[in-house]
Amino acid sequence: TGKFLVVAVKSYGCGTPTYPPILTRVVGGEDVRPHSWPWQISLQYKSGNNFYHTCGGTLISNEWVLTAAHCIGSSYTYRVYLGKHSLDTANESGSIAISPSVIVVHPNWDSYNIRNDIALIKLSSPVQNTNAISPACLPTSGETLPNGAPCYVTGWGRLWTGGPIADIMQQALLPVVDYSTCSRSDWWGNLVTTNMICAGGDGVVSSCNGDSGGPLNCQNPDGSWDVHGIVSFGSSAGCNYYKKPSVFTKVSAYTSWINNVSIKHFCSKYLTEHKILF
């Protein structure tokens, strides 16, 4: 039936928030309209008795979250907070924290060269669509955005280099920079590959620490939103650096892997629940 395929979520009204985002072209980030990016999650790690925001992520079905491989450490306990707007507000209406049941880091994740920076988190219990929580769509496999395509990065990343993590979720317009430009020697050179998306690089706005793992949101002609990118890396010289756009893992290059992971875990759960042995 395809009901367990992550990409099949496109058939079930994904990428259409109850409260559409208010899109502007301001210079720098801005507070988002509450719950206008209902697939954005806060990935949090436990330290002592408390949890702390470390990365963003994207809900792509009722039980799977997409994030960056570099956000995952084997020694940490994590939770996924969905429906958040303000990180500092406890018991925020519409929000829920769920522990992961499975975390799958891409088997070819290369932290040295920053390759295949993608991971999937399976929630320990599925979520229902609400005004505050609903999945983003995935792009068509292999889809490449044109130069200048208007996309938005969202999250609670630092508002400037060395600054604090934002309390209120932020959004910022980041036009796509095509591979031929981004791979020039005075841009990112051979650090970027065709499995990545560059966006920004105007020296004004970019993603920053704390946005890692979060989505690059790009709107379809029908008004729905696809998560085209996963925040991966930026310049060590600062969050907003000329000719050093934010670099995202290109989701459309990994749709087969995403599907394969979801199918594998669906089948494993089904066989276990029905006590089917081979």
Side-chain angles (χ1 to χ4, degrees):
T1 63
K3 63 183 179 181
F4 53 87
L5 296 179
V6 174
V7 293
V9 75
K10 204 151 193 165
S11 304
Y12 297 96
C14 60
T16 53
T18 301
Y19 308 107
I22 299 171
L23 305 178
T24 66
R25 294 179 178 270
V26 297
V27 175
E30 60 181 339
D31 292 358
V32 307
R33 181 185 189 183
H35 308 312
S36 56
W37 305 101
W39 42 84
Q40 172 83 49
I41 66 95
S42 168
L43 181 63
Q44 303 183 351
Y45 69 95
K46 190 174 186 180
S47 179
N49 295 320
N50 298 310
F51 281 88
Y52 300 92
H53 173 84
T54 183
C55 280
T58 308
L59 183 70
I60 56 173
S61 77
N62 68 343
E63 59 182 359
W64 286 100
V65 166
L66 198 59
T67 190
H70 79 261
C71 290
I72 305 301
S74 59
S75 61
Y76 288 98
T77 297
Y78 293 100
R79 72 179 181 183
V80 175
Y81 225 127
L82 304 102
K84 289 298 289 178
H85 178 64
S86 167
L87 289 181
D88 289 346
T89 302
N91 302 316
E92 195 170 22
S93 177
S95 65
I96 183 172
I98 302 179
S99 60
S101 64
V102 176
I103 300 178
V104 183
V105 173
H106 195 284
N108 296 323
W109 159 233
D110 179 351
S111 60
Y112 183 79
N113 295 299
I114 318 180
R115 301 289 190 260
N116 305 303
D117 191 7
I118 183 171
L120 280 166
I121 300 172
K122 189 175 188 292
L123 302 176
S124 56
S125 58
V127 294
Q128 300 296 318
N129 283 10
T130 67
N131 290 343
I133 302 170
S134 63
C137 303
L138 293 180
T140 302
S141 181
E143 182 177 354
T144 298
L145 295 167
N147 190 61
C151 297
Y152 286 80
V153 65
T154 51
W156 294 273
R158 302 184 191 281
L159 300 176
W160 60 87
T161 304
I165 292 289
D167 167 32
I168 302 299
M169 190 192 301
Q170 301 288 297
Q171 67 182 34
L173 173 66
L174 286 187
V176 169
V177 178
D178 61 20
Y179 174 73
S180 63
T181 301
C182 196
S183 60
R184 292 176 184 170
S185 59
D186 57 335
W187 286 63
W188 277 116
N190 59 11
L191 283 175
V192 299
T193 73
T194 54
N195 285 346
M196 301 174 183
I197 297 174
C198 300
D202 57 4
V204 176
V205 64
S206 70
S207 57
C208 203
N209 304 97
D211 286 327
S212 286
L216 181 67
N217 309 281
C218 309
Q219 196 167 27
N220 295 304
D222 66 359
S224 65
W225 292 87
D226 287 351
V227 52
H228 270 272
I230 302 166
V231 178
S232 183
F233 67 90
S235 174
S236 60
C239 297
N240 310 317
Y241 204 72
Y242 185 56
K243 289 189 176 183
K244 291 295 181 287
S246 299
V247 182
F248 301 78
T249 303
K250 185 178 180 179
V251 174
S252 69
Y254 294 91
T255 49
S256 293
W257 178 76
I258 292 169
N259 276 325
N260 289 339
V261 170
S262 64
I263 292 169
K264 176 183 176 182
H265 285 276
F266 173 86
C267 293
S268 176
K269 179 182 178 183
Y270 181 88
L271 295 175
T272 300
E273 289 177 347
H274 291 78
K275 298 181 173 61
I276 299 174
L277 300 176
F278 292 95

